[in-house]
Every structure is written in C-alpha cells, then in structure tokens.
Amino acid sequence: KNQVEQSPQSLIILEGKNCTLQCNYTVSPFSNLRWYKQDTGRGPVSLTIMTFSENTKSNGRYTATLDADTKQSSLHITASQLSDSASYICVVNTGFQKLVFGTGTRLLVSP
Amino acid sequence: EAQVTQNPRYLITVTGKKLTVTCSQNMNHEYMSWYRQDPGLGLRQIYYSMNVEVTDKGDVPEGYKVSRKEKRNFPLILESPSPNQTSLYFCASQAGVYSGANVLTFGAGSRLTVL
C-alpha cells in the first residue's frame, strides 16, 4: 500500500532555531516528491519539488533532501521565524498525477 | 492574479439538502482536482479532471459528484449531504498532467458542516 509517513506530528521551537522535518514513503512507482506549507485556514503552497535524481534543493531558508534509496526526505528550516508556523505536508507523486499525501507536521515557532 | 477561487468559504447545512461548492481557476490549467482534509488523515482526493468533459474518481468519491463543462470551472456537488461529509474541502489545478515538475495550485478551502 502506498504510504507517506511524516514525523514528528507536531513540533514547537523557539524563534531563530533550526528544525528538521522527516518524511518516509513507501510509494511505487516514484515520480517526484514535493513539500507544501499550509498556513492555518489556507490552501497548501508548494515549497520544493524533487525528482529521483535530486539530492538537495533549497528555497530560501528551506532546504529539502531526498534519499531515493532509503525512501526518505527531510525539510530543514534555518533560522526559524514566527511566519514559519504552519503545517508542512510531504506529497509523493507516483506519476500521472496520482499523489500520496502525508498527514503533515504542525510546526509552531514560539517567540 | 493567478488563483483558484472556491465558494462558499464556509457553509453550514442540514442532512439531505443538496449543495454545490464552486471552483474556478484563471490559469487555463487542464488538470483540476478536489480534496477533503480531515484531522489526522491528511488530504484525500475526491475527484479529478484531466480536461473538459474528462473526470475520474479519486480515493474517496462516495457521496460526491463533479462536472467539467468548461476548462476554468470544476464544481463539487453533494446531492444528499451527510454528517460524515463535514470537512475542509480544497480545489486545486495544475498546468498539464504528464509533467512531473508542475505543481498544484490550491484554493483557500471551503469549510463545510453538515448537521
């Protein structure tokens, strides 16, 4: 069964600190993996898209990694800001727009 | 501004009263999709459409209908809503279907409560 598991479920960090969110997937076939940020009450917004051949991709203070061998991805947030408080969703595309969604990690950045 | 617009944003209704949630995109995207989001379950696909007059079931289609008569619109229809359809609904669109690099653009969501 195709599954995407994210950890931790929730996380509280102090403003200015770094954090790493994890995504493990058992999805086949694999086309790409995306990280989305979802602010409370809003729709998800794409942060990064990674294909099979990509190991690391950055978007400002967000850096995603992908290990296709172990089927793991991480999202590292550097120098967190209050506006980073949101849910972060890992989504794996099996191809032809068949998407498998993780349940997300809820991040709270505290002042 | 490129966007996906959903209406209504909030709705409280009663069991059995038909309702439609509209979705419109202004990006000329071929692909459109509906999702529901429930606590602890993540986003689950209800229906999707590859293009005009082409629709197909997602993972949780029971109790829902869709239509795609025009490229820009993809309404979600609940013929006889039930309390288990209380959820947060998202419409999304994407340019093309077969390019893995394309990304979904989501609407702001529609929170539906069925009493």
Side-chain angles (χ1 to χ4, degrees):
Chain A
K1 180 182 177 183
N2 288 334
Q3 276 189 311
V4 175
E5 295 183 350
Q6 294 187 241
S7 62
Q9 278 191 326
S10 61
L11 181 63
I12 302 174
I13 62 173
L14 290 174
E15 187 179 10
K17 298 296 186 182
N18 304 333
C19 68
T20 299
L21 314 180
Q22 298 290 343
C23 172
N24 297 340
Y25 60 92
T26 53
V27 174
S28 182
F30 176 90
S31 175
N32 59 61
L33 182 147
R34 319 173 191 200
W35 283 93
Y36 284 84
K37 178 186 179 188
Q38 184 178 19
D39 292 314
T40 301
R42 306 290 296 272
V45 175
S46 177
L47 291 174
T48 66
I49 299 175
M50 302 187 72
T51 59
F52 187 86
S53 59
E54 295 176 305
N55 298 116
T56 303
K57 184 172 281 189
S58 291
N59 178 3
R61 295 180 295 103
Y62 300 102
T63 300
T65 65
L66 175 65
D67 186 333
D69 292 330
T70 62
K71 298 187 176 182
Q72 295 179 325
S73 177
S74 66
L75 181 69
H76 185 76
I77 304 174
T78 304
S80 60
Q81 301 176 357
L82 298 179
S83 59
D84 292 329
S85 295
S87 289
Y88 292 84
I89 303 171
C90 176
V91 185
V92 178
N93 186 351
T94 66
F96 298 102
Q97 272 312 107
K98 182 58 181 177
L99 304 178
V100 185
F101 289 83
T103 55
T105 293
R106 181 167 291 184
L107 173 66
L108 176 63
V109 179
S110 176
Chain B
E1 179 188 354
Q3 60 185 356
V4 176
T5 303
Q6 298 178 226
N7 280 296
R9 292 290 315 280
Y10 303 91
L11 180 62
I12 300 175
T13 189
V14 296
T15 299
K17 186 176 181 181
K18 180 181 178 180
L19 68 91
T20 299
V21 186
T22 63
C23 175
S24 180
Q25 50 94 3
N26 61 1
M27 297 166 281
N28 201 36
H29 285 171
E30 290 87 357
Y31 180 90
M32 297 186 74
S33 183
W34 276 101
Y35 302 87
R36 61 178 288 174
Q37 188 175 38
D38 301 291
L41 293 179
L43 284 152
R44 293 180 292 169
Q45 189 180 53
I46 303 171
Y47 269 95
Y48 64 96
S49 170
M50 299 281 202
N51 214 322
V52 176
E53 301 291 2
V54 181
T55 63
D56 209 346
K57 296 177 181 179
D59 298 317
V60 288
E62 295 79 17
Y64 304 95
K65 286 175 56 177
V66 293
S67 68
R68 188 92 181 272
K69 293 184 170 56
E70 307 166 277
K71 199 170 189 179
R72 63 183 291 123
N73 295 323
F74 190 45
L76 178 70
I77 303 159
L78 286 72
E79 292 273 3
S80 182
S82 62
N84 64 12
Q85 292 178 297
T86 293
S87 188
L88 179 59
Y89 291 86
F90 288 100
C91 180
S93 72
Q94 176 176 305
V97 177
Y98 302 108
S99 172
N102 287 339
V103 64
L104 283 169
T105 299
F106 284 87
S110 295
R111 186 169 291 281
L112 171 64
T113 301
V114 183
L115 302 175

